[in-house]
Amino acid sequence: EVNTSLEISGFPIDQNNKVDYTVTRQTKTAEVILNLYSNALKFTPKGGSVKIICTYEPYESAHGSILIKVRDTGVGIKDQDK
């Protein structure tokens, strides 16, 4: 078993206390996060951990940016493959 966690911060919240995904391309963002998560799980040994941190950073203009960090205790990428 691998311990997992997801931390989301900074996203605009609507009146129902839910993340306002209208600021994102919801499908593509979810696809990227799922891909990062599944790869981290695949290469993290039993007893390891995977943590995904998603932060929305608004700009003064209409759009902001999403910062996605993945931290895991997996084997990593070999130097020759970087």
Side-chain angles (χ1 to χ4, degrees):
E1 182 175 309
V2 174
N3 297 318
T4 62
S5 66
L6 172 64
E7 178 183 316
I8 299 176
S9 64
F11 284 81
I13 305 296
D14 68 14
Q15 69 240 19
N16 297 316
N17 287 328
K18 294 187 177 180
V19 173
D20 180 3
Y21 286 108
T22 59
V23 299
T24 68
R25 292 184 177 193
Q26 187 174 0
T27 304
K28 286 292 182 188
T29 302
E31 200 174 292
V32 167
I33 294 170
L34 182 59
N35 188 31
L36 290 168
Y37 179 70
S38 64
N39 283 339
L41 280 178
K42 185 189 312 184
F43 296 106
T44 299
K46 190 174 186 178
S49 65
V50 173
K51 181 175 186 177
I52 298 178
I53 303 165
C54 300
T55 306
Y56 176 75
E57 298 177 355
Y59 293 140
E60 290 181 21
S61 65
H63 302 287
S65 65
I66 298 173
L67 176 63
I68 301 169
K69 296 180 184 179
V70 179
R71 294 185 179 155
D72 62 60
T73 56
V75 296
I77 300 171
K78 296 176 187 174
D79 285 336
Q80 66 214 33
D81 295 334
K82 290 182 182 179

